[in-house]
């Protein structure tokens, strides 16, 4: 299977701990996106990479959040000093750089985070 | 103001019937794309269908079609001959060319197919 993969699928942590999630995009896709989705809502954009460059960050991405894509392949999203409000599904997507409105983003299975 | 509005929080439909899921959008960008995704309870967001703002024809993909009414700014998803496996959340999303490629999402519609 050559789709987008995410690890772990589920994470339970205690408030104040740090967590890190990984996303492996479809191999030829050099655009990568992170979204956060809370229960009953649509996803909210967090950040976007083209190759290794982080080109846009949402104001939702507080100082406790950091994302990297060091070699332009997989990406990591780290949350420091987790809070209960960070509990959500974290979705990763990738796309080919078609430069058009129709550039389709393909999503991974997501990581469900629960902060106790 | 909401850029993507899905007015149906939930719908129940009998198996084998057609179903229409509503989506209206708001943009001043002349070039944009509209997408529908399906999210089963497992959580993965599955791409269904795409409509470009300059496309003359309504998009179709198998049992999915998009009823695109540009002047009314609506992009409704039509699922023909619904199946039990169609039960899921359905999200409408838009990307404006000037938005640096991020998708803007509606709140979703929960579709339940009854046997």
């Amino acid at each position: 299977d050559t789709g987008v993969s995410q690890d772990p699928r589920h994470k339970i942590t205690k408030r104040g701990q740090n967590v890190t999630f990984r996303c492996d995009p479809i191999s030829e896709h050099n655009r990568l996106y992170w979204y956060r989705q809370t229960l009953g809502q649509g996803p909210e954009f967090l950040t976007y990479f083209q190759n290794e460059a982080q080109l846009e960050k949402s104001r939702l991405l507080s100082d406790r959040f950091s994302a990297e894509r060091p070699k332009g392949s997989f990406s990591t999203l780290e949350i420091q000093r987790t809070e209960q409000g960070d509990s959500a599904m974290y979705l990763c997507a990738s796309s080919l750089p078609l430069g058009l409105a129709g550039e389709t983003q393909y999503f991974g299975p997501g990581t469900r985070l629960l902060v106790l | 103001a909401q850029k993507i509005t899905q007015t149906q929080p939930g719908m129940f439909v009998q198996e084998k019937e057609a179903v229409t899921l509503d989506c209206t959008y708001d943009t001043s960008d002349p070039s944009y794309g509209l997408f529908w995704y399906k999210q089963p309870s497992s959580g993965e967001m599955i791409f269904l269908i795409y409509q470009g703002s300059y496309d003359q024809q309504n998009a179709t993909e198998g049992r999915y079609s998009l009823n695109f009414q540009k002047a009314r700014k609506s992009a409704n998803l039509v699922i023909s001959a619904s199946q039990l496996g169609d039960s899921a959340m359905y999200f409408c999303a838009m990307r404006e060319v000037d938005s640096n490629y991020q998708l803007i999402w509606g709140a979703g519609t929960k579709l339940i197919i009854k046997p």
Side-chain angles (χ1 to χ4, degrees):
Chain A
D1 181 43
T2 57
V4 179
S5 61
Q6 292 186 246
D7 185 69
R9 295 290 307 276
H10 304 273
K11 179 72 177 178
I12 300 174
T13 191
K14 293 182 179 178
R15 189 177 56 185
Q17 298 293 305
N18 299 343
V19 294
T20 300
F21 309 141
R22 176 177 170 128
C23 171
D24 287 86
I26 294 170
S27 58
E28 63 268 28
H29 289 186
N30 64 1
R31 288 198 172 133
L32 187 148
Y33 308 79
W34 285 98
Y35 291 85
R36 181 172 69 185
Q37 185 181 24
T38 52
L39 204 60
Q41 302 294 321
E44 295 173 298
F45 170 78
L46 292 179
T47 190
Y48 148 64
F49 291 84
Q50 178 151 326
N51 299 312
E52 64 274 12
Q54 188 173 20
L55 297 186
E56 188 170 346
K57 291 187 343 180
S58 164
R59 65 182 182 278
L60 292 174
L61 214 64
S62 76
D63 292 345
R64 297 184 299 105
F65 287 70
S66 62
E68 294 182 344
R69 196 181 181 198
K71 297 181 180 179
S73 56
F74 73 91
S75 175
T76 57
L77 177 69
E78 181 183 15
I79 309 174
Q80 296 182 326
R81 305 181 304 281
T82 52
E83 302 172 356
Q84 289 180 325
D86 297 331
S87 296
M89 171 81 93
Y90 290 83
L91 293 165
C92 176
S94 69
S95 68
L96 281 170
L98 299 179
L100 301 170
E103 185 178 305
T104 299
Q105 294 178 23
Y106 294 92
F107 284 78
T111 296
R112 288 187 193 270
L113 173 66
L114 177 61
V115 181
L116 301 176
Chain B
Q2 291 283 350
K3 286 210 164 190
I4 298 286
T5 303
Q6 295 181 252
T7 57
Q8 307 149 310
M11 287 186 72
F12 287 88
V13 172
Q14 200 69 38
E15 189 181 8
K16 300 180 185 174
E17 289 184 350
V19 57
T20 298
L21 305 180
D22 295 340
C23 174
T24 58
Y25 60 92
D26 182 29
T27 181
S28 56
D29 193 333
S31 180
Y32 53 90
L34 296 157
F35 301 80
W36 277 92
Y37 285 84
K38 171 184 178 182
Q39 189 176 41
S41 56
S42 58
E44 183 172 358
M45 201 67 81
I46 302 167
F47 167 70
L48 295 178
I49 196 167
Y50 160 76
Q51 180 84 43
S53 58
Y54 293 118
D55 292 344
Q56 297 296 314
Q57 307 268 2
N58 284 344
T60 61
E61 288 285 349
R63 293 187 300 113
Y64 304 108
S65 61
L66 206 152
N67 183 2
F68 181 47
Q69 298 187 45
K70 192 170 181 177
R72 298 178 64 179
K73 294 189 174 179
S74 77
N76 298 339
L77 176 71
V78 180
I79 306 174
S80 63
S82 57
Q83 302 170 357
L84 296 178
D86 294 332
S87 295
M89 284 292 292
Y90 287 80
F91 290 94
C92 178
M94 175 175 68
R95 196 173 74 233
E96 300 159 306
V97 171
D98 290 339
S99 71
N100 217 4
Y101 308 111
Q102 63 174 279
L103 286 170
I104 303 165
W105 298 78
T109 295
K110 186 174 179 67
L111 176 64
I112 297 175
I113 307 298
K114 299 182 292 184

